[in-house]
Amino acid sequence: MLKVGFFSSQPYERPFFSDEHHPQLSIVHFEQRLSARTVTLCQGLDAVCVFVNDELDRTVLERLAVVGVRLVALRCAGFNNVDLDAARRLNIQVCRVPSYSPDAVAEHCVALMLTLSRKIHKAYNRVREDNFDLNGLLGFNLAGKTVGIVGFGQIGRSLAGILSGFGCRVLVTDPAPLPNQADIAQVEFDELLAHSDIISLHCPLTPDTHHLIDESAFSRMKDGVMLINTSRGALVDTRACIEALKRRKLGYLGLDVYEQEAGMFFEDRSDDIPLDDVFARLISFPNVVVTGHQGFFTREALSEIASTTLESLTAFEEGRSLDQHCQL
Ligand code: NAI
């Protein structure tokens, strides 16, 4: 029997992650994020199942190794929160869900784009107050616009397909060689910045991509550009965003992720005093829409995340090797 500690557990996940049909697994749910403060909860566990804001740095991994945890199963695609070198050294296996409905995230990007381009967030509030004035709601068409996609992996590709349907011109930048596609132009990062009306980020967060979008990147963009980030918060320097919004360089900003989201997103903080001044300033702009890391949050994606993760845990317990696409 594999005893699994399921950290950052939310009520909406539990029906998908039931161990009812997996007699080899015993899942214990913890609402807490896994971090150096909460790692004491791992006593007696064989594996931990974690999400995007759990912290698996060297210190946490060393403590996991001491209590006998042998597997870290990420129930997400990104793995920037795990020190993979330390895990390897400590003989802790790490797996993830490499693919689960990229369409879920791509469709959420389009939802952010259309909310901003047609000012749906403002219109929704106006109509609820019987205000049917159109002043200030003038939008723009997506058709004919140039959209730059940074990172042409699974989500980037799904987004390109949707945007081609909207009649957009799609530019992509990615260090990997890309398949020749008639409707997609692969360009250098600088060219993408210079020519895009909308820029959407879909590369992983690594030391190389940290603050990929900073003051210098903004200075190379078109005036009034729209930026969408559904990938990882730290791809964007938030303070530089605020300055670019103030100068109207950045005309629209749609975020599903935020640099300092750990400890804030996925929780109801509506009764708390807001303590993050940068975030408070960010959401004060009328042309900024932020969602709390919900790009992945569709029935289809959750069900795929659960089936892949439960299969990895079961394979590990049965001594089978993990799927090569899941193993890190
Ligand atoms: P993927 O691995 O299929 O694609 C990532 C692509 O980025 C690859 O083609 C890679 O070559 C490219 N890339 C790497 N460095 C780059 C750079 N410096 N510039 C341009 N491209 C670069 O990943 P996938 O599934 O498309 O996911 C992308 C990211 O989306 C993940 O890393 C994760 O952080 C985020 N994500 C967010 C979710 C949400 O709920 N908001 C859900 C799932 C993923």
Side-chain angles (χ1 to χ4, degrees), residues 6 12 39 57 116 119 124 141 153 155 163 176 188 235 276-277 307:
F6 194 99
Y12 50 75
V39 72
D57 56 18
L116 287 161
K119 305 191 196 303
Y124 174 79
N141 292 2
I155 297 171
L163 292 173
E188 293 298 324
L235 291 177
D276 184 333
D277 291 351
S307 65

Side-chain angles (χ1 to χ4, degrees), residues 7-8 32-34 50-56 75 81:
F7 283 85
S8 302
Q32 293 93 328
R33 280 191 303 131
L34 180 57
V50 296
F51 198 47
V52 292
N53 290 326
D54 293 288
E55 292 165 20
L56 291 115
R75 51 186 193 278
N81 51 337

Side-chain angles (χ1 to χ4, degrees), residues 137-209:
L137 296 185
L138 188 64
F140 67 85
N141 292 2
L142 284 191
K145 294 294 177 297
T146 299
V147 184
I149 297 181
V150 180
F152 202 54
Q154 301 180 80
I155 297 171
R157 264 177 250 169
S158 170
L159 180 63
I162 301 172
L163 292 173
S164 299
F166 271 90
C168 297
R169 177 174 167 241
V170 178
L171 305 179
V172 305
T173 186
D174 193 307
L178 303 183
N180 242 345
Q181 248 181 279
D183 51 344
I184 305 294
Q186 187 171 8
V187 297
E188 293 298 324
F189 182 55
D190 271 355
E191 195 178 339
L192 181 142
L193 294 184
H195 295 292
S196 300
D197 302 297
I198 301 174
I199 296 172
S200 196
L201 306 179
H202 300 289
C203 55
L205 174 63
T206 64
D208 284 346
T209 59

Side-chain angles (χ1 to χ4, degrees), residues 263-281:
M264 174 160 70
F265 281 13
F266 308 122
E267 287 171 32
D268 180 358
R269 299 201 158 265
S270 52
D271 282 333
D272 297 356
I273 301 297
L275 292 178
D276 184 333
D277 291 351
V278 175
F279 188 73
R281 182 68 179 104

Side-chain angles (χ1 to χ4, degrees), residues 100 151 153-155 174-175 202-204 209 230-232 256 293 296:
Y100 54 89
Q154 301 180 80
I155 297 171
D174 193 307
H202 300 289
C203 55
T209 59
T230 60
S231 196
R232 284 293 179 267
D256 187 46
H293 210 137
F296 74 99

Side-chain angles (χ1 to χ4, degrees), residues 1-2 24-25 70-71 93 311-323 327:
M1 172 81 72
L2 192 76
Q24 312 92 317
L25 305 179
R70 292 166 291 129
L71 175 69
Q93 291 203 51
E311 165 53 24
S312 293
L313 292 166
T314 309
F316 184 80
E317 168 61 4
E318 291 174 352
R320 289 185 278 125
S321 49
L322 299 176
D323 181 297
Q327 179 137 32

